[in-house]
Amino acid sequence: MRILITGGAGFLGSHLCDRLIEQGHEVICLDNFFTGRKSNIQHLVDNPRFELVRHDVIDPFKFEVDRIYNLACPASPPHYQYNPIKTMKTSVVGAINCLGLAKRVKARVFQASTSEVYGDPNVHPQPEAYWGHVNPIGLRSCYDEGKRAAETLFFDYHRENGVDIRVIRIFNTYGPRMLPDDGRVVSNFIVQALQGKDLTVYGEGSQTRSFCYVDDLVEGFMRFMEQEKIVGPMNLGNPGEFTMLQLAELVLKKVGGKSRITHLALPSDDPKQRKPDISLAKETLDWEPKVPLEQGIEKTIAYFKSSLS
Ligand code: NAD
Ligand code: UDP
């Protein structure tokens, strides 16, 4: 198949490019390089089945493709808050452009939605049927509400125009090719520990997240895209739940060195807990994460050790 990946030079997108090329597909990677890097896909540029296009998803685009994975959007809070209006445009106009293209060329289109659609959840763990608890006017809203609006557009194009959609809600995912200055917690802690700096735990560190290793997630992406039973939304993530203090302690144990833990102010609207209910993915895709946090953290430490040196 010919497959378009928007945001293909980013953390998740570049791993997806690798897997789809491995499977023998043709891949068009579209990216504006806001948080993506050429180095993430450099090893693919000489492959005749791989094409790199510098383009912004908010400007229309046309490709004859069979599948579209829409991943374009900064994912870390400092990056998506850098230009919140642009973030909202990327989610909403980017979704409209992907859906318009899917409608014209009859491609199946996949939306990388997020656990942020559940906001600061008061249902725990979060099943897909939960509508969420989201602040519409806070610092995180450009991302949360942008992604919620994108889901609405996907389902309206599906109902009104018969567009073949797949919508997944991704929970915190980590691994090699995250940016060292990305601002997300796993990369922050590992880079701080490797550089001998103190690990910056925001607030008390009692807030929880559930961390999925990138290889597990990408396997789930492809299984979901190619199944015919449901269009989503479907949660994908690792249900293992950890406090940020536990994560910091794990990183300190694995890296060693002299770093300690320091506490900084908790950002506004920071969700207190997050854990996916993945029953639907287990049942429909026969999928569940295989890489435990300790093992995934070790692989990610090894990546940052070699890329920072
Ligand atoms: P990332 O920041 O590494 O990747 C995003 C990619 O999109 C980058 O390559 C960036 O340059 C590109 N991009 C941003 N704005 C663009 C635009 N306007 N036009 C074209 N390209 C643009 O983040 P990631 O972790 O790889 O996330 C990929 C997708 O998955 C995002 O949509 C994100 O919201 C979603 N997601 C990720 C996670 C996670 O934990 N990694 C969790 C939930 C959802
Ligand atoms: N966090 C932290 N220290 C950091 C970066 C993040 O304690 O250096 C916390 C953050 O407040 C949040 C959790 O880690 O509670 C996950 O943050 P991240 O930005 O990775 O993802 P998100 O909040 O979008 O789930």
Side-chain angles (χ1 to χ4, degrees), residues 75-78 80-81 114-116 140 143-144 171-173 178 182-189 192 198-211 242-245 247-248 262-274:
S76 95
Y80 70 64
Q81 288 166 19
T114 167
S115 53
E116 296 288 337
R140 297 174 79 99
Y143 184 75
D144 302 8
F171 284 66
N172 299 61
T173 300
M178 294 183 93
D182 184 84
R184 284 182 272 192
V185 68
V186 173
S187 42
N188 269 13
F189 285 176
Q192 287 163 344
D198 289 348
L199 274 57
T200 54
V201 169
Y202 300 161
E204 301 280 305
S206 56
Q207 69 273 36
T208 67
R209 293 292 187 274
S210 303
F211 297 102
F242 297 86
T243 67
M244 295 312 101
L245 266 184
L247 178 69
T262 176
H263 291 267
L264 298 182
L266 190 66
S268 70
D269 295 337
D270 199 278
K272 286 182 272 308
Q273 52 181 4
R274 192 183 286 151

Side-chain angles (χ1 to χ4, degrees), residues 10-31:
F11 162 49
L12 298 179
S14 62
H15 287 278
L16 181 62
C17 287
D18 283 345
R19 289 294 308 277
L20 293 172
I21 286 284
E22 249 170 53
Q23 290 189 342
H25 299 291
E26 282 179 37
V27 170
I28 302 172
C29 166
L30 179 152
D31 208 293

Side-chain angles (χ1 to χ4, degrees), residues 16-136:
L16 181 62
C17 287
D18 283 345
R19 289 294 308 277
L20 293 172
I21 286 284
E22 249 170 53
Q23 290 189 342
H25 299 291
E26 282 179 37
V27 170
I28 302 172
C29 166
L30 179 152
D31 208 293
N32 73 348
F33 296 108
F34 175 47
T35 50
R37 288 176 294 182
K38 283 204 184 133
S39 60
N40 287 344
I41 35 91
Q42 193 60 49
H43 55 288
L44 296 174
V45 291
D46 289 332
N47 189 312
R49 286 186 283 106
F50 182 80
E51 217 174 317
L52 179 60
V53 180
R54 179 189 283 269
H55 189 84
D56 197 303
V57 283
I58 71 171
D59 299 321
F61 43 89
K62 262 196 215 162
F63 301 98
E64 283 295 330
V65 288
D66 309 292
R67 298 281 186 265
I68 304 166
Y69 283 89
N70 183 32
L71 270 60
C73 186
S76 95
H79 287 135
Y80 70 64
Q81 288 166 19
Y82 172 75
N83 185 345
I85 297 166
K86 174 73 195 237
T87 299
M88 178 65 95
K89 281 188 186 164
T90 295
S91 272
V92 174
V93 183
I96 292 171
N97 285 333
C98 286
L99 288 159
L101 176 63
K103 183 180 160 192
R104 263 201 313 277
V105 302
K106 299 195 170 31
R108 180 173 293 172
V109 58
F110 171 110
Q111 169 65 0
S113 190
T114 167
S115 53
E116 296 288 337
V117 300
Y118 301 123
D120 189 5
N122 38 32
V123 170
H124 194 72
Q126 295 80 52
E128 290 85 357
Y130 177 48
W131 288 356
H133 179 227
V134 178
N135 177 359

Side-chain angles (χ1 to χ4, degrees), residues 240-261:
E241 186 184 10
F242 297 86
T243 67
M244 295 312 101
L245 266 184
Q246 285 173 320
L247 178 69
E249 278 154 12
L250 174 65
V251 170
L252 288 179
K253 182 177 98 181
K254 294 283 169 195
V255 174
K258 294 200 190 98
S259 303
R260 296 152 75 119
I261 290 172

